[in-house]
Amino acid sequence: MAAFGSSTLNGQSLQNPDYVTVAKVTRLTAPVHIKAHSSSQTIAVLKKNQEFPIILTAKYYYLVQMLDGKKGWIRKSYTSVRKANRYVAGWNYLGGSDKFKESSTSSNLDIVMPRWYRLQEEGLISTSPDKSYVDWAHAKGKKVWSMLGNGFDMELTDRILSSPANRVEVIGKIKDSLIINEIDGLNVDFENMNMENREDFVIFVRDLKKALSESGKIVSVDVTRENPDPNWSGSYNRAGLGEAADFVIMMGYDEYYEGRGVSESVASLSWVEDGLRKLLKDVPSHKVLLGVPFYTREWITPSGGGGATARDFTMKDSVNWISQHGLTKKWDPAAKQNYVEYTDSAGRHQMWLEDQTSMTARWNLVKKYSLAGVSAWAIGQESTDIWNVFNK
């Protein structure tokens, strides 16, 4: 099936660094077939307004990428076609607006996400947008999606999500602030939530989107890479969030962290790719951005035994660290990353590197799975050669 058809439409590629071509169902229902003719087996029936990326084109049919890795052919006459934007985004975290401007100049960076909104006890939400930074970003051709965080506070998050009145108040304040400051969208980063708030969170995001859509604002929501933890993973109804929001960002990092006491990669490629496959069971690929780390960790395993401890390193500081210790990169085939290590009296020092090689591999996943792009944690931590990876 994959060998049949063309990867272009009207002489243009179905995807490139700027967009993914998607088909939107225009009929009440539309069958999807295993082959590009109506007499072949029907493998799915799509509903009006559902959208999926086009993988190949034939004379009368599109091969679309559906949920759970399924592909099938749908009649062209049952759909409309658009180019869904592909983005390189990143969170502004280090410093204030002047620092944000200094670190966000790359022409390949499409969206900046400063942390300007946060849930709080008094008044339910704090807001600190900087209109001058919004104006600066717009002048540079960038969009601004301000981040709304919950501070990992489970009780406060429950207080707001479980109360319809509190949800309405928070959404109203956000809407007014976004409009007044001409901010383009909102990035919702709620982590460590009670399982009882799972559906409340979907309702909150759905109501946010409804309130903001009339003014053209985008809503994106962050989710962890799927894992067994109920509060840090199970509290996300990923399918519901994928329907409610414009975009879902998978935080593809912190596979290993200091609390685990084991020295390994922050984000091995197989772990990231497996997480994407799991997420794409629930969310259309053109709505998914892959969160990528602009940081790594130095792991120190004591010579006398015991669990490994860790120090966080920005990508650019890791370059200096490698040079200072005179280390040579080696390839780790398991993590599919470059790796360095040395041993001294303190013990064994190890680091799995985030560099141009690892970022290229992650950008290749974006193309392989027809994703909406990447989002980096955090802008300002990267080495200068990273922006060339994204080919914008």
Side-chain angles (χ1 to χ4, degrees), residues 169-389:
E169 183 174 346
V170 168
I171 290 171
K173 289 179 177 179
I174 290 172
K175 178 181 178 180
D176 291 344
S177 182
L178 292 180
I179 291 174
I180 290 171
N181 292 283
E182 300 181 1
I183 298 170
D184 304 290
L186 188 75
N187 172 243
V188 184
D189 184 69
F190 285 10
E191 301 180 51
N192 189 35
M193 293 187 292
N194 197 312
M195 282 288 288
E196 280 71 22
N197 296 131
R198 194 170 189 264
E199 297 310 317
D200 296 331
F201 187 42
V202 174
I203 293 170
F204 176 71
V205 173
R206 184 185 300 130
D207 290 349
L208 258 176
K209 178 57 186 173
K210 183 177 179 180
L212 299 179
S213 60
E214 61 189 33
S215 53
K217 308 300 185 185
I218 296 297
V219 175
S220 64
V221 59
D222 305 334
V223 300
T224 57
R225 191 270 195 201
E226 191 172 323
N227 65 73
D229 192 292
N231 299 324
W232 292 91
S233 178
S235 54
Y236 297 116
N237 176 348
R238 291 167 174 81
L241 294 171
E243 292 179 0
D246 295 294
F247 296 98
V248 174
I249 302 176
M250 188 191 88
M251 295 178 280
Y253 36 76
D254 281 353
E255 176 183 7
Y256 286 87
Y257 45 88
E258 185 168 9
R260 296 188 66 174
V262 179
S263 55
E264 288 288 350
S265 171
V266 165
S268 65
L269 193 66
S270 60
W271 178 83
V272 172
E273 186 167 11
D274 185 60
L276 277 176
R277 290 196 188 104
K278 286 180 167 66
L279 181 59
L280 295 177
K281 292 180 179 180
D282 296 321
V283 183
S285 61
H286 69 286
K287 299 182 74 172
V288 172
L289 286 94
L290 172 61
V292 298
F294 278 1
Y295 69 93
T296 185
R297 293 187 172 102
E298 175 198 9
W299 294 93
I300 306 169
T301 304
S303 54
T309 60
R311 291 196 301 161
D312 288 0
F313 271 74
T314 67
M315 186 185 291
K316 59 186 177 184
D317 285 344
S318 70
V319 174
N320 297 331
W321 182 84
I322 291 168
S323 176
Q324 289 169 5
H325 292 283
L327 304 178
T328 301
K329 295 181 182 181
K330 299 178 182 178
W331 180 249
D332 180 348
K336 296 184 179 177
Q337 287 176 275
N338 287 317
Y339 161 88
V340 292
E341 72 165 272
Y342 73 93
T343 301
D344 63 10
S345 59
R348 186 184 186 190
H349 302 251
Q350 298 170 280
M351 183 180 290
W352 283 262
L353 302 178
E354 295 300 335
D355 54 15
Q356 198 172 58
T357 299
S358 69
M359 284 301 124
T360 298
R362 301 182 200 288
W363 187 241
N364 287 339
L365 290 179
V366 170
K367 294 183 283 187
K368 178 178 179 179
Y369 291 100
S370 299
L371 305 184
V374 297
S375 186
W377 183 270
I379 301 302
Q381 296 182 326
E382 73 281 2
S383 54
T384 55
D385 61 344
I386 290 305
W387 295 111
N388 297 329
V389 168

Side-chain angles (χ1 to χ4, degrees), residues 100-112 132-144 184:
F100 296 166
K101 293 175 185 177
E102 179 184 320
S103 59
S104 302
T105 57
S106 172
S107 60
N108 284 356
L109 178 62
D110 304 307
I111 298 167
V112 290
S132 68
Y133 181 61
V134 177
D135 293 340
W136 175 88
H138 288 168
K140 295 292 185 180
K142 305 180 191 306
K143 301 291 187 183
V144 179
D184 304 290

Side-chain angles (χ1 to χ4, degrees), residues 123-166:
L124 302 181
I125 186 171
S126 66
T127 63
S128 57
D130 183 347
K131 180 66 161 54
S132 68
Y133 181 61
V134 177
D135 293 340
W136 175 88
H138 288 168
K140 295 292 185 180
K142 305 180 191 306
K143 301 291 187 183
V144 179
W145 296 353
S146 182
M147 177 178 157
L148 167 66
N150 71 336
F152 309 149
D153 189 326
M154 187 183 296
E155 292 183 5
L156 175 60
T157 305
D158 172 67
R159 178 188 165 198
I160 291 170
L161 291 183
S162 63
S163 165
N166 287 345

Side-chain angles (χ1 to χ4, degrees), residues 22-23 32 46 51-56 62-66 70-74 79:
V22 299
V32 179
L46 302 184
E51 286 187 325
F52 292 104
I54 301 173
I55 306 302
L56 293 172
Y62 297 127
L63 180 67
V64 292
Q65 174 69 63
M66 297 177 291
K70 295 179 180 178
K71 299 180 177 70
W73 295 91
I74 186 171
T79 68

